[in-house]
Amino acid sequence: MPKFYPCLLCSKRTSQQDRYRIKKEHADFIKRRLRMDVSDDSMLCRKCRHMCETKSTRDSICNSPGPNKIQKTLSKQSMKSPPSVTLSIPSTSTSHANCVICKKPGPKLVVVPENTRVNVFIQKETFVPPGSRCCPKHISDGDLNTEALHLLKQTSSVSNVNRTTIVGVLKQTRDVAIQNQNKRLNFDDPHGMQNEDYYNLTGVTKDQFDELMTYLVETNLRSSKNRSTRTCVALLLTKLRCGLSNQLLGTLFGMKKWQVWTC
C-alpha cells in the first residue's frame, strides 16, 4: 500500500506537490499556540503552511518592541556608567597622612580644594585625586604657589575617576575658560608671563612678586569673581610704576573701568 502524508493541522491527505516539511518557526508557533506535538515526519499542506506563515509573522511583530520602547531602552542603557573609568592622564599619589607635594607627614594637612586641583590639571596636565592633602604653606590665594607646582610629581601614568569627578572638572575648567577669555595680562598663570614682563610692568621680578603675595595671606585682601588678589596687586604696582589711567589699565587687564576702581 502506498504511504500517504496527512496535513498535521487539517488532516488532509497531501499530494507530493502540496506537502511541505514544517519549518522551525512554524513548529514553534504550532507548539505554542495550538498545543500540538510536531515530529520530524510531520507535514503541512499549502493552505495550512500559509496560515502558519502569516500568524507566526504577526506574532513576532506584536511581540517585538516598538520604536518608542527601543528608544527608551537605549536611553536607559546610555545613562548607565561604570563606577570609575581609567583615563590616560598622569596623576599624583593620594594620601590622607602625607602631603601630596612634599610627602611630609601630618598632622596639620589641608584638603586640596577642587579649584586648585583643576588649576593643576590645566597648568601641568596632572590629575590630583579628590581628598588629597597637602601642607598649608603650598597654597597661596587658593592656588598652589610656584614652588609647590615645581615639587609636584606624577606617580602614575593613568587616573581612575568617577562620573562626579569628571563632571566637576569639566564645570571648573569651563569657569576658568570664561574667566580668562578676555584677559590680556594674566598674573594668575605661573607660566603665562616671563620674568622680564613682570619687571617691566610692576618693577619687581616674578620671584619677588610671589614672595610679596605670601605677606598678604593674613590681610583682608580676597579674590572676587572679577579679579584675583594677584591681579589686584599687579594692577596696583603697574599703576604706581607706569602711571597709566584706569581706562588703559582696564584694557591691559581685560577689565571694566569700574572694576579697576574697586581693586
Side-chain angles (χ1 to χ4, degrees):
M1 238 180 118
K3 184 177 180 180
F4 69 93
Y5 300 88
C7 173
L8 178 65
L9 300 184
C10 65
S11 301
K12 170 186 174 181
R13 183 172 180 174
T14 59
S15 63
Q16 185 175 0
Q17 293 80 15
D18 192 36
R19 62 173 173 258
Y20 302 90
R21 290 193 178 276
I22 301 177
K23 296 180 180 180
K24 182 180 182 303
E25 55 268 26
H26 296 167
D28 294 339
F29 170 77
I30 293 171
K31 291 177 183 178
R32 184 178 69 255
R33 298 295 297 273
L34 303 181
R35 308 293 182 183
M36 298 177 65
D37 295 329
V38 180
S39 65
D40 295 337
D41 296 332
S42 299
M43 296 289 179
L44 288 176
C45 66
R46 186 188 303 272
K47 182 177 179 181
C48 293
R49 177 175 179 269
H50 178 70
M51 182 270 295
C52 288
E53 181 73 27
T54 303
K55 292 195 174 184
S56 62
T57 303
R58 185 182 303 164
D59 283 355
S60 64
I61 294 175
C62 293
N63 294 329
S64 62
N68 293 335
K69 188 174 181 180
I70 293 175
Q71 184 64 31
K72 290 181 180 179
T73 303
L74 292 176
S75 298
K76 290 181 179 179
Q77 292 177 350
S78 63
M79 291 180 64
K80 295 180 179 179
S81 64
S84 63
V85 294
T86 302
L87 303 178
S88 299
I89 300 175
S91 62
T92 65
S93 60
T94 176
S95 174
H96 291 183
N98 297 85
C99 175
V100 71
I101 297 172
C102 63
K103 310 304 180 185
K104 291 182 179 180
K108 295 183 179 180
L109 300 178
V110 296
V111 178
V112 181
E114 183 180 12
N115 63 308
T116 303
R117 294 190 292 106
V118 172
N119 289 336
V120 171
F121 170 70
I122 294 174
Q123 296 169 16
K124 296 199 63 173
E125 197 179 355
T126 301
F127 182 75
V128 179
S132 299
R133 287 169 164 77
C134 71
C135 302
K137 65 179 182 179
H138 297 315
I139 298 180
S140 176
D141 191 26
D143 203 356
L144 294 185
N145 53 44
T146 305
E147 182 183 3
L149 282 174
H150 180 71
L151 292 175
L152 188 67
K153 301 298 181 183
Q154 301 171 356
T155 59
S156 176
S157 59
V158 296
S159 300
N160 294 316
V161 294
N162 56 26
R163 181 194 299 178
T164 303
T165 302
I166 294 175
V167 172
V169 171
L170 290 176
K171 287 184 177 179
Q172 289 280 349
T173 304
R174 179 179 180 274
D175 292 340
V176 172
I178 293 175
Q179 182 180 0
N180 294 334
Q181 63 181 349
N182 294 322
K183 185 172 289 186
R184 273 72 167 180
L185 298 178
N186 188 356
F187 285 84
D188 297 322
D189 184 2
H191 308 287
M193 298 174 61
Q194 301 297 323
N195 187 65
E196 184 180 358
D197 298 328
Y198 272 83
Y199 184 79
N200 291 337
L201 290 169
T202 65
V204 296
T205 64
K206 186 174 181 298
D207 292 337
Q208 291 172 338
F209 187 90
D210 292 337
E211 183 180 359
L212 175 62
M213 295 304 303
T214 61
Y215 295 106
L216 301 178
V217 175
E218 303 298 332
T219 65
N220 293 327
L221 185 62
R222 295 290 182 267
S223 297
S224 69
K225 64 179 181 179
N226 296 321
R227 55 46 173 185
S228 65
T229 56
R230 291 180 64 91
T231 300
C232 186
V233 173
L235 194 149
L236 174 61
L237 294 178
T238 303
K239 174 79 171 179
L240 295 175
R241 177 174 174 82
C242 304
L244 300 176
S245 65
N246 290 341
Q247 188 172 359
L248 285 177
L249 288 173
T251 301
L252 290 176
F253 285 83
M255 301 169 64
K256 301 294 185 180
K257 188 176 180 179
W258 63 268
Q259 292 174 335
V260 176
W261 290 342
T262 59
C263 284

